[in-house]
């Protein structure tokens, strides 16, 4: 028998994060957003709540939960603000999770406790300035020189990479040539402050303005050989798994944004009057909000399904792509409709829907564009690779 009701622990977590988002995030995040300032105090509070340690075992300072618990937290945060949500998502699924999944006992002991407490952030250096969706076209290199890896190259659009509490970036780099002449790709942990590792200035972004995003460069950057994460040459497989899991988390953020648009519209139409009536009485407005709710609900079921398959140890690549595609398009459509319902006020940054509209588009790009998701779905259906 299918049952999509949350059990008591999940429901308690969802309510706790929702209350935090409404009481702590909502009143202040607009100012952070306008100043393009990273919200350190909110991150500290999320760390104290255990949100950065949700899916990790207690032995590493985690909460002993699972990935679905993280997704629930992300959805509730994104109902209020996506900058805070993506900071948590990237900190966990891209910063900490690769170390937990592939790290040695010593690497886990060294890095995870501080990351789980939210006292430090990790980042994942995959995308490059000329690479975009072609993740296999890496140009950053790492060569062994005695007991050190020496890195050269650059990365682009890396979240959580330049904060005052960023502790490390896991860098995907070409470390040699495979037997068939292809690129041998490995993952290497580069601690912040390592000589030769430079963090460029903050990007001027359309959205996610209270999150941290930078371009990184590596010029003869030397780290110990033991900073290799997982087996040499397994970097490509590692980041594919990381991205599959991350797409479920990004889907949860998309659902949160889509639902947040519904929340804001319901409040607004109960107060705003036009032509002598509350605008919530007009069927045209009611139909828009009904469609918005239907999109959020459908996308939520998609990411619940993908997360359930993940937790059962079943293949979930197709389901993750469906969830990410569905939720990002729902977020974009709902943000557009919410802005329309708010009219001129929807175009003002002081109203959350204006921020939602600016934040929604990146969900159709980051962690694999909508086109990449369709390509993955087609491949999982057995269709031939297109030219």
């Amino acid at each position: 028998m299918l049952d999509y009701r949350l059990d008591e622990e999940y429901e308690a977590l969802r309510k706790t994060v929702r209350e935090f988002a409404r009481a702590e995030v909502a009143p202040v995040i607009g100012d952070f957003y306008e100043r393009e300032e990273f919200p350190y105090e909110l991150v500290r509070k999320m760390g104290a709540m255990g949100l950065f340690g949700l899916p990790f075992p207690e032995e590493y300072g985690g909460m002993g939960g699972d990935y679905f618990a993280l997704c629930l937290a992300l959805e509730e945060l994104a109902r209020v603000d996506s900058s805070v949500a993506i900071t948590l998502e990237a900190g966990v699924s891209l910063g900490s999770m690769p170390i937990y999944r592939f790290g040695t006992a010593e690497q886990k002991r060294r890095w995870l406790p501080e990351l789980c407490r939210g006292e430090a952030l990790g980042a994942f250096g995959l995308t490059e300035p000329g690479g975009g969706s072609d993740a296999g076209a890496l140009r950053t290199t790492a060569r062994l020189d005695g007991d050190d890896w020496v890195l050269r190259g650059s990365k682009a659009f890396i979240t959580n990479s330049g904060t005052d509490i960023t502790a490390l970036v896991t860098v995907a780099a070409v470390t040699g040539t495979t037997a068939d002449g292809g690129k041998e790709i490995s993952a290497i942990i580069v601690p912040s402050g390592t000589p030769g590792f430079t963090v460029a200035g903050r990007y001027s972004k359309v959205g996610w303005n209270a999150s941290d995003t930078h371009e990184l460069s590596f010029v003869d950057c030397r780290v110990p050989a033991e900073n290799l994460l997982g087996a040499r040459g397994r970097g490509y497989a590692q980041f594919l798994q990381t991205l599959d899991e991350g797409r479920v988390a990004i889907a949860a953020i998309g659902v949160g944004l889509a639902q947040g648009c519904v929340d804001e519209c319901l409040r607004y139409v109960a107060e705003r009057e036009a032509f002598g009536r509350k605008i919530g009485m007009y069927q045209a407005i009611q139909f828009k909000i009904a469609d918005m709710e239907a999109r959020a609900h459908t996308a939520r079921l998609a990411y619940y399904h993908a997360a359930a398959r993940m937790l059962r140890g079943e293949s979930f690549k197709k389901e993750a792509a469906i969830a990410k595609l569905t939720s990002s398009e729902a977020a974009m459509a709902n943000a557009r409709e919410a802005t329309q319902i708010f009219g001129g006020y929807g175009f003002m940054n002081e109203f959350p829907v204006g921020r939602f509209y600016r934040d929604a588009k990146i969900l159709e790009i980051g962690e694999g564009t909508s086109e990449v998701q369709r390509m993955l779905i087609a491949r999982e259906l057995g269709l031939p690779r297109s030219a």
Side-chain angles (χ1 to χ4, degrees):
M1 175 179 173
L2 289 174
D3 189 347
Y4 287 92
R5 291 174 297 181
L6 300 179
D7 66 23
E8 290 184 5
E9 283 192 28
Y10 287 140
E11 183 62 27
L13 171 66
R14 186 186 65 79
K15 288 181 178 179
T16 297
V17 179
R18 176 179 291 187
E19 291 170 2
F20 170 78
R22 290 176 174 176
E24 300 286 346
V25 178
V28 301
I29 195 61
D31 289 339
F32 283 103
Y33 197 92
E34 287 302 302
R35 296 194 304 265
E36 299 186 3
E37 182 179 330
F38 189 76
Y40 286 100
E41 182 61 18
L42 291 177
V43 171
R44 186 194 66 77
K45 290 178 179 179
M46 289 194 294
M49 291 170 64
L51 299 188
F52 286 93
L54 272 174
F56 301 110
E58 294 179 8
E59 65 180 295
Y60 300 118
M63 298 295 288
D66 55 32
Y67 210 90
F68 182 58
L70 170 66
C71 290
L72 290 175
L74 292 171
E75 180 184 343
E76 293 303 325
L77 288 171
R79 286 178 74 160
V80 169
D81 179 71
S82 292
S83 293
V84 171
I86 195 60
T87 298
L88 176 62
E89 190 277 335
V92 175
S93 69
L94 300 180
S96 303
M97 193 59 74
I99 294 175
Y100 174 65
R101 294 276 191 230
F102 313 116
T104 64
E106 173 57 25
Q107 288 169 341
K108 294 176 186 178
R109 184 202 63 77
R110 177 182 178 186
W111 298 111
L112 285 181
E114 196 175 27
L115 294 172
C116 286
R117 292 193 300 268
E119 296 171 359
L121 293 174
F124 187 66
L126 174 60
T127 305
E128 298 189 351
S133 296
D134 188 1
L138 292 177
R139 300 179 65 182
T140 297
T141 61
R143 61 178 177 83
L144 269 178
D145 181 23
D147 294 329
D148 292 332
W149 289 105
V150 181
L151 288 84
R152 292 186 64 88
S154 60
K155 300 293 179 178
F157 315 127
I158 308 304
T159 305
N160 291 347
S161 59
T163 74
D164 293 344
I165 58 174
T166 299
L168 65 97
V169 178
T170 299
V171 178
V174 178
T175 53
T177 305
T178 60
D180 60 2
K183 294 179 179 178
E184 176 192 82
I185 297 173
S186 305
I188 298 170
I189 299 171
V190 181
S192 297
T194 301
F197 170 24
T198 302
V199 179
R202 291 170 60 92
Y203 287 105
S204 176
K205 297 178 292 186
V206 171
W208 284 0
N209 283 349
S211 72
D212 179 83
T213 318
H214 296 268
E215 184 171 341
L216 312 177
S217 66
F218 306 89
V219 179
D220 294 331
C221 175
R222 304 179 75 94
V223 298
E226 59 263 28
N227 281 28
L228 179 70
L229 183 64
R232 178 170 176 170
R234 292 292 297 167
Y236 192 80
Q238 290 171 17
F239 70 64
L240 287 181
Q241 180 178 338
T242 298
L243 291 177
D244 283 341
E245 295 176 349
R247 284 172 185 138
V248 183
I250 292 293
I253 292 178
V255 170
L257 192 154
Q259 193 67 59
C261 289
V262 176
D263 297 340
E264 293 298 325
C265 286
L266 289 175
R267 281 193 285 269
Y268 184 72
V269 302
E271 300 171 356
R272 178 78 162 91
E273 291 188 3
F275 306 104
R277 304 172 69 187
K278 295 285 193 301
I279 65 172
M281 298 179 67
Y282 294 104
Q283 194 174 64
I285 298 295
Q286 293 178 0
F287 281 7
K288 281 182 181 293
I289 296 176
D291 286 343
M292 291 164 64
E293 176 69 12
R295 291 188 199 101
H297 178 76
T298 303
R300 181 178 297 108
L301 294 179
Y303 99 70
Y304 274 26
H305 182 213
R309 290 184 64 90
M310 181 200 306
L311 296 184
R312 289 197 299 264
E314 300 172 357
S315 172
F316 66 97
K317 181 180 290 289
K318 180 182 73 175
E319 289 74 16
I322 290 172
K324 204 272 186 180
L325 176 65
T326 303
S327 68
S328 60
E329 294 193 342
M332 193 69 225
N334 279 16
R336 182 176 59 250
E337 293 287 34
T339 303
Q340 191 72 18
I341 289 170
F342 270 68
Y345 291 111
F347 203 61
M348 301 295 110
N349 285 326
E350 64 189 277
F351 287 85
V353 294
R355 191 168 71 243
F356 291 169
Y357 189 66
R358 293 169 66 179
D359 289 340
K361 182 58 191 175
I362 189 61
L363 296 172
E364 295 183 313
I365 298 172
E367 298 254 4
T369 63
S370 295
E371 291 76 16
V372 166
Q373 306 314 312
R374 290 183 169 93
M375 178 187 71
L376 292 172
I377 295 166
R379 287 180 182 175
E380 290 296 304
L381 291 174
L383 294 170
R385 291 176 180 262
S386 58

